[in-house]
Amino acid sequence: MPTTASPFVTLFNAYADATDGIGTHLTRLVARQIADAPLVVIYATGIVIFTGGTRASTPIRQANPGFLELAGISHLGPAIGSLAAAAQAGATTWSDDAQRLARNIAAAQAANTIDYWRGLGVAVWTPNLDAIRKMVAYACALSLDFIARFQRDPQARTFDVLVRDFLETRSAAFPVPFDHVMIATFCLTGLTGTCSALAFLRQQAVDWRRAFVVLAGGNGGPAAALTRCTNHFVQLLDYVSDGELDAGRTFLIPMSVNPDDATLDTTLRTQVATLYGRAQLAGKLFPAYPRFVPAGCPESVVAPATSVVHVPPRAASADDLFAFVARLRFMMEDPTQLLSSTVATYVLDQLRAGRAPEAIDIPGLAAFRVASA
């Protein structure tokens, strides 16, 4: 074995050495060049903006008023589905879990008043408060009815019955599928999350033409939102920047973010400088060849006869509940997707069309505008 590095390894290290390589020198140069550019970082639970040595931050998602309340309702679908999976597998945990879930639902049912929802202070929900109360009352009643049957009747502990009599119920007593309730709750929380993120970003007066963006991984799942087309914040940033944000200055980096880390700005700018510097170098090295531009994100048109999709189904209007539920399945089934993308594209499309947030039609909620509870 040779005791010294071969000339070829030395040649490789001349460019690639992490301490003194030519590529490393370029990264440091680019990092200095972009040191005062706004850096917007969006991670699993918040947004932080670094600008000229200052920082501003805000939590997102679960910190929004009403998120946990409506998520508790939407999660009844997978919760009861998990009971069915446990029963089908012969586990013994489902009975105690079902009793605990029923108690929790009953407590939420008792707390479900207009005053409660009004007290959350969610302005964009104001026109829908009565419908929200009715929807929650319906969801609780349907869930308790199904859980009671699930507990007493072994024949009900199948996914066929779960789908027929709960998720897709259309009986006289329960005419609205729980699938539609899940879509409505997702959209209501998606609306508040989108609007709060937009409000924060606009308050910072970011110079989007100079800005760099890092969308950190671990957002909604370890494999989710790692590409331009699976992270709906790419669309949100394009909207809030009025198209001024350069896609070539947006980077998706699969790393955990600690917003309190004092070195976060420097660490991320170094990573951005590495990626941005290489991309800028490519354009100068190969000027006669085609330039990379991100492609638009495809969506599919679905109908009840559609059996397989490879890209997200498109839901263009609040009435297209089949497409919304198809999107929900897609977002749950594809581990690269964000569950919140079930409704995020629709919300952003409505805002782009000039609809005020409180005037956006919430898919799945119309059935509760006239229904009694």
Side-chain angles (χ1 to χ4, degrees):
M1 296 288 291
T3 57
T4 59
S6 79
F8 295 101
V9 174
T10 301
L11 177 61
F12 171 79
N13 285 332
Y15 174 74
D17 185 84
T19 302
D20 197 32
I22 295 171
T24 302
H25 294 167
L26 176 62
T27 293
R28 291 170 183 163
L29 171 63
V30 174
R32 291 194 295 272
Q33 292 172 338
I34 68 172
D36 65 344
L39 176 63
V40 180
V41 183
I42 301 180
Y43 57 101
T45 59
I47 303 173
V48 59
I49 301 176
F50 299 99
T51 308
T54 66
R55 59 178 287 157
S57 63
T58 185
I60 55 176
R61 293 189 179 88
Q62 293 190 15
N64 292 317
F67 178 92
L68 293 176
E69 285 84 351
L70 287 186
I73 298 300
S74 63
H75 286 172
L76 289 174
I80 295 175
S82 298
L83 296 179
Q88 289 281 291
T92 59
T93 56
W94 71 263
S95 181
D96 287 345
D97 283 345
Q99 292 178 44
R100 177 161 55 98
L101 183 60
R103 290 194 300 271
N104 294 155
I105 294 170
Q109 189 178 48
N112 178 37
T113 65
I114 283 286
D115 287 341
Y116 182 89
W117 296 105
R118 184 181 294 115
L120 294 175
V122 183
V124 296
W125 289 358
T126 300
N128 296 309
L129 291 180
D130 185 58
I132 290 172
R133 182 193 65 79
K134 290 175 179 176
M135 176 186 67
V136 170
Y138 175 88
C140 290
L142 170 60
S143 299
L144 288 172
D145 180 83
F146 187 82
I147 291 172
R149 179 181 169 192
F150 187 91
Q151 289 175 298
R152 69 174 180 265
D153 182 4
Q155 299 302 312
R157 298 168 201 160
T158 70
F159 281 102
D160 286 343
V161 173
L162 173 69
V163 171
R164 185 191 68 202
D165 295 344
F166 181 68
L167 296 176
E168 288 291 339
T169 178
R170 295 183 187 274
S171 68
F174 297 107
V176 180
F178 192 82
D179 283 348
H180 296 184
V181 172
M182 286 195 287
I183 296 300
T185 57
F186 282 144
C187 197
L188 286 163
T189 56
L191 179 62
T192 57
T194 297
C195 289
S196 64
L198 289 173
F200 170 75
L201 291 167
R202 285 169 174 153
Q203 287 169 1
Q204 310 313 310
V206 176
D207 183 354
W208 292 107
R209 290 168 297 181
R210 298 179 58 245
F212 289 88
V213 171
V214 170
L215 299 170
N219 186 346
L226 299 180
T227 67
R228 297 179 191 274
C229 289
T230 58
N231 193 319
H232 58 73
F233 278 99
V234 172
Q235 299 166 280
L236 184 145
L237 290 164
D238 180 69
Y239 172 68
V240 75
S241 71
D242 292 324
E244 290 189 341
L245 176 62
D246 182 353
R249 298 165 81 97
T250 299
F251 303 97
L252 293 101
I253 302 176
M255 62 176 287
S256 297
V257 167
N258 175 6
D260 299 322
D261 182 357
T263 67
L264 181 61
D265 186 10
T266 300
T267 298
L268 289 178
R269 284 188 193 274
T270 300
Q271 296 206 32
V272 166
T274 301
L275 299 169
Y276 187 65
R278 186 181 68 179
Q280 296 300 296
L281 184 61
K284 294 178 175 64
L285 291 176
F286 311 110
Y289 294 86
R291 180 171 65 93
F292 167 74
V293 174
C297 299
E299 291 184 314
S300 57
V301 177
V302 295
T306 306
S307 60
V308 173
V309 288
H310 305 289
V311 294
R314 176 163 179 75
S317 75
D319 297 327
D320 196 357
L321 285 163
F322 181 87
F324 275 108
V325 178
R327 281 181 69 85
L328 175 57
R329 174 174 179 170
F330 186 94
M331 299 305 168
M332 289 184 67
E333 211 160 23
D334 180 356
T336 70
Q337 299 287 342
L338 280 170
L339 190 59
S340 54
S341 291
T342 301
V343 296
T345 298
Y346 167 77
V347 169
L348 283 169
D349 284 347
Q350 294 291 301
L351 293 172
R352 285 183 189 276
R355 300 290 296 276
E358 63 274 11
I360 292 176
D361 293 328
I362 304 298
L365 198 60
F368 301 100
R369 295 192 186 283
V370 295
S372 61

